[in-house]
């Protein structure tokens, strides 16, 4: 299939055909592939936009610099949110490859984004990167006064399953001044985190 046909296939109603097009574009990319996919990140057609996000994730580390640029500099909230989601896809597809520092710093900055679509997507991406960025999540949790952001960080810590999260969640639960919703989430996240850690120990 030509590149043009593969781009058209990203709009296909059949998810398997979209998936096939994504990986083919990633494997046979040329110098225009990344910028073309980036230009779809504000597309109103959500199927097409999500397919572009996944295709950028399939491309991997080469897509990180333009995604960080869009995440931090685009005026369009859809583009910023899509860029964060694409960075999450990169981490998901290439778990064995250390995530570029530029990507981590970009996501850390995006946690301050005023729009919840963006900062919650940034937390999800950091959650996908996992243990190497637990300190970034902990620092954000300790400094934010945004309950929605706090709740999403608490949940990310629970799913990563890193022991450093235990003390942080414990302190949140014990602190009288913690927002009640955040506290409630920290409570259930703590038991999930302990279960994840048990499960990980069993697997080792």
């Amino acid at each position: 299939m030509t590149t043009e046909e593969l781009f058209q296939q990203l709009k296909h109603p059949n998810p398997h055909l979209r998936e096939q097009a994504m990986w083919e574009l990633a494997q046979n990319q040329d110098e225009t592939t990344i910028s073309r996919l980036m230009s779809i990140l504000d597309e109103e057609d959500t199927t097409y936009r999500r397919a572009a996000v996944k295709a950028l994730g399939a491309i991997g580390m080469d897509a990180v610099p333009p995604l960080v640029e869009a995440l931090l500099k685009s005026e369009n909230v859809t583009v910023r949110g899509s860029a964060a989601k694409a960075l999450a896809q990169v981490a998901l597809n290439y778990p064995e490859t250390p995530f570029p520092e530029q990507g981590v710093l970009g996501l850390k900055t995006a946690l301050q984004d005023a729009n919840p679509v963006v900062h919650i997507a940034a937390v999800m991406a950091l959650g996908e990167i996992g243990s190497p960025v637990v300190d970034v999540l902990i620092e954000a949790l300790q400094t934010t006064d945004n309950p929605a952001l706090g709740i999403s960080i608490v949940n990310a810590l629970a799913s990563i399953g890193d022991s450093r999260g235990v003390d942080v969640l414990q302190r949140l639960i014990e602190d009288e001044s913690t927002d009640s919703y955040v506290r409630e989430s920290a409570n259930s996240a703590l038991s999930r985190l302990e279960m994840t850690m048990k499960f990980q120990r069993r697997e080792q």
Side-chain angles (χ1 to χ4, degrees):
M1 286 175 88
T2 65
T3 303
E4 206 45 62
E5 285 166 339
L6 289 171
F7 269 94
Q8 288 309 311
Q9 196 167 311
L10 291 178
K11 301 177 183 176
H12 202 284
N14 180 326
H16 298 299
L17 290 176
R18 291 201 301 273
E19 189 89 14
Q20 189 190 342
M22 286 166 215
W23 286 103
E24 278 196 41
L25 278 169
Q27 281 153 8
N28 305 301
Q29 58 169 308
D30 61 26
E31 65 283 358
T32 66
T33 309
I34 292 177
S35 56
R36 272 193 76 176
L37 288 167
M38 293 294 301
S39 72
I40 304 168
L41 295 186
D42 63 350
E43 181 64 51
E44 281 183 18
D45 174 347
T46 49
T47 302
Y48 192 30
R49 185 172 74 235
R50 284 179 186 146
V53 163
K54 285 189 159 184
L56 286 160
I59 284 171
M61 303 306 155
D62 288 348
V64 170
L67 284 169
V68 170
E69 176 87 3
L71 174 65
L72 299 181
K73 297 198 174 151
S74 174
E75 309 250 307
N76 184 320
V77 67
T78 307
V79 171
R80 298 201 305 277
S82 296
K85 287 172 188 164
L87 289 166
Q89 290 289 327
V90 172
L92 185 68
N93 286 321
Y94 298 95
E96 302 306 313
T97 310
F99 204 80
E101 192 177 354
Q102 181 189 9
V104 174
L105 292 173
L107 288 164
K108 183 180 177 179
T109 305
L111 294 175
Q112 309 299 322
D113 194 293
N115 195 295
V117 169
V118 182
H119 60 239
I120 288 171
V123 173
M124 277 166 44
L126 289 164
E128 281 300 345
I129 299 167
S131 284
V133 296
V134 162
D135 291 338
V136 172
L137 287 167
I138 289 173
E139 186 194 331
L141 183 60
Q142 289 169 336
T143 52
T144 186
D145 49 10
N146 177 341
L149 182 62
I151 290 168
S152 51
I153 294 174
V154 157
N155 289 323
L157 288 172
S159 60
I160 292 170
D162 187 293
S163 58
R164 285 168 291 175
V166 175
D167 291 345
V168 179
L169 293 176
Q170 202 80 57
R171 280 202 298 277
L172 267 187
I173 295 162
E174 287 163 10
D175 184 350
E176 297 290 325
S177 65
T178 304
D179 176 271
S180 60
Y181 288 114
V182 176
R183 205 177 191 178
E184 214 171 284
S185 299
N187 231 325
S188 60
L190 184 59
S191 51
R192 283 214 319 281
L193 174 56
E194 285 165 346
M195 271 168 62
T196 309
M197 283 162 55
K198 248 185 225 157
F199 185 68
Q200 284 170 348
R201 278 199 297 272
R202 217 174 294 148
E203 283 197 326
Q204 285 159 10

